[in-house]
Amino acid sequence: MIRGSCLCGGVRYEISGPLSAVLNCHCSVCRKAHGSAFRSRGRVASKDFKWMQGEDLMTYFESSPGNRRGFCRVCGSPILTKFDNDGSVYSVPFGALDDDPGVQPQLHAYVASKAPWHAITDELPQYDELPPKA
Ligand SMILES: [Zn+2]
Ligand SMILES: [Zn+2]
């Protein structure tokens, strides 16, 4: 079981299944949404994601068509992204996890949009956009 929560503690969830497609996304939308150089995220089956409390505190912003980024309306922590075209999967930003998910980002995506003030200093593969199956 992997637990996650928002900054104010109002929203809590548990993940009971594997996280896949784990990567650091450097796209401008993730940078804005997270106020950071990149967003580390993984995908989880929606059936393996369970709200423990605070689902009513969630607000969703459609950052691109059909792509709904959910955050706590009290503290602003990004919690998950839902997709209109695929309800079976969520994208979860690792910054809100409280437990070690046991997996680490395997690549850098959207490096073509990378912040000019950030240098990637690891050896993970870099992709201008999203690689296949991520
Ligand atoms: Zn909160
Ligand atoms: Zn992104």
Side-chain angles (χ1 to χ4, degrees):
M1 199 70 75
I2 303 161
R3 292 168 298 175
S5 60
C6 66
L7 179 59
C8 75
V11 176
R12 296 186 183 280
Y13 63 85
E14 287 184 357
I15 291 170
S16 60
L19 287 153
S20 60
V22 184
L23 57 80
N24 293 330
C25 186
H26 296 259
C27 84
S28 59
V29 179
C30 284
R31 291 195 285 110
K32 290 278 186 189
H34 292 254
S36 60
F38 55 86
R39 166 194 212 239
S40 301
R41 60 85 158 159
R43 300 219 169 200
V44 63
S46 51
K47 66 176 175 52
D48 294 333
F49 183 102
K50 186 178 176 193
W51 297 107
M52 305 307 289
Q53 70 175 54
E55 186 177 2
D56 57 315
L57 298 179
M58 292 293 296
T59 297
Y60 293 86
F61 172 67
E62 191 171 9
S63 58
S64 56
N67 195 331
R68 301 180 191 277
R69 292 177 185 245
F71 56 93
C72 172
R73 67 175 160 79
V74 176
C75 67
S77 290
I79 298 296
L80 88 179
T81 302
K82 295 182 175 185
F83 306 98
D84 286 359
N85 65 358
D86 185 0
S88 71
V89 67
Y90 296 153
S91 181
V92 175
F94 278 22
L97 296 178
D98 295 311
D99 295 321
D100 181 356
V103 288
Q104 297 185 351
Q106 297 299 306
L107 59 91
H108 297 280
Y110 288 96
V111 173
S113 310
K114 183 178 78 62
W117 47 265
H118 174 71
I120 297 173
T121 56
D122 62 38
E123 301 302 317
L124 294 174
Q126 300 183 18
Y127 295 86
D128 278 353
E129 295 188 344
L130 213 54
K133 296 206 256 182

